[in-house]
Amino acid sequence: MTRISYDSRLDPQMREALAQQQAMAPDLGTAHTRSVVDIREVYERERAYWNEGGPAMASSLDITLDGPIGVLPIRIYEPVDYGVNATLMFMHGGGWMVGSTASHDRIARTLADHCKCKTVSVDYRLAPEFKFPVQFEECLAVLHALKAGEIDNCPGQRLLLAGDSAGANLALGIALWCRDRHPGLISALALFYGTFGLSDSGSRRLYGNGQDGMSRADLTYYRRSYLRSEADMDDPRYNMLDADLSDMPPAYIMAAELDPVKDDSLTLAAQYSELGISHELSVYDGMLHGFLHMSRICDKASHALQAGAKFLCRQGLR
């Protein structure tokens, strides 16, 4: 199988960020060959570097809820200029296997700062110890708590959803579930380089290697660690692209040019277009999957987060 060489096509800042990442964590891009404990330790340590700096919050509070299978941690951000009567619920990426509120702290702070609303980041349980649909059900439990007014000072009648990668999958799945049960509750979505159900595509065949941890072996490893069986690949809580997406909330859909899951975003945007649903598609040239973390170096990461927040404010808060 032919894989596209990235070297000549990488954005210069992406190349610089990738070099920095590989210097700190040279084995980060070989997930399928290492233990889960090792993957998580390296991931959290490397992400700590990228989380330095960024917007300050008026407050950042870690609390727990009673989740469907036990204590469920969340982090609540209040931006300095808080004043919007809505709550943004953020779901982190990491292939459902790694990641946390800590690893995605700067991304969540940046969205909270640009949206000027309370932001709740969900620290859902990870695969393979906890299989699908545990992650979905825990995120749904947070949404229910918000809707019921059980999370102090977080407005629950107008909700925005955002997520990156696996978190974008969870965000879109939650929105699809809510469409039929609580229409109008979700005002808008921001979906950053998500995976939405494709198992094969042109981008999967062209992109992904040991540099970015998105090789075909890695993607298969993440999926098999998350899902209980192949039958789950048809579940609309995982595979939204085979579901009826009519009457879904407006969505900002972002993709990275050199990302094996790029076609998931392009397909979702095409379906939104066919259905006449308001959306905005942005494809960032020269960027790899995961670049949102790298706003210390990559201007496009800051731009993408700001663009997503502007869409949420324009579509979801009017």
Side-chain angles (χ1 to χ4, degrees), residues 167-228:
N169 174 278
L170 290 166
L172 185 61
I174 293 291
L176 181 61
W177 186 95
C178 285
R179 179 201 59 189
D180 299 327
R181 296 161 179 85
H182 305 292
L185 178 62
I186 309 301
S187 297
L189 309 168
L191 307 171
F192 301 99
Y193 43 61
T195 174
F196 304 120
L198 294 182
S199 58
D200 193 10
S201 69
S203 61
R204 277 172 167 75
R205 289 173 177 261
L206 289 172
Y207 308 121
N209 59 32
Q211 287 180 298
D212 54 19
M214 296 289 286
S215 69
R216 188 168 232 183
D218 289 322
L219 292 174
T220 300
Y221 175 60
Y222 295 138
R223 187 183 73 238
R224 288 178 176 171
S225 296
Y226 177 50
L227 300 179
R228 295 165 298 186

Side-chain angles (χ1 to χ4, degrees), residues 85-103:
N85 187 32
T87 299
L88 170 62
M89 182 174 155
F90 176 75
M91 283 141 281
H92 70 78
W96 305 280
M97 291 186 64
V98 301
S100 64
T101 52
S103 68

Side-chain angles (χ1 to χ4, degrees), residues 32-70:
H32 70 281
T33 66
R34 303 185 351 262
S35 72
V36 173
V37 172
D38 183 45
I39 295 168
R40 290 175 184 160
E41 190 279 326
V42 172
Y43 185 89
E44 293 288 336
R45 173 164 43 84
E46 187 267 343
R47 291 303 189 237
Y49 169 83
W50 300 109
N51 279 322
E52 293 178 13
M57 295 286 101
S59 66
S60 177
L61 179 65
D62 291 319
I63 67 169
T64 59
L65 304 176
D66 291 329
I69 61 171

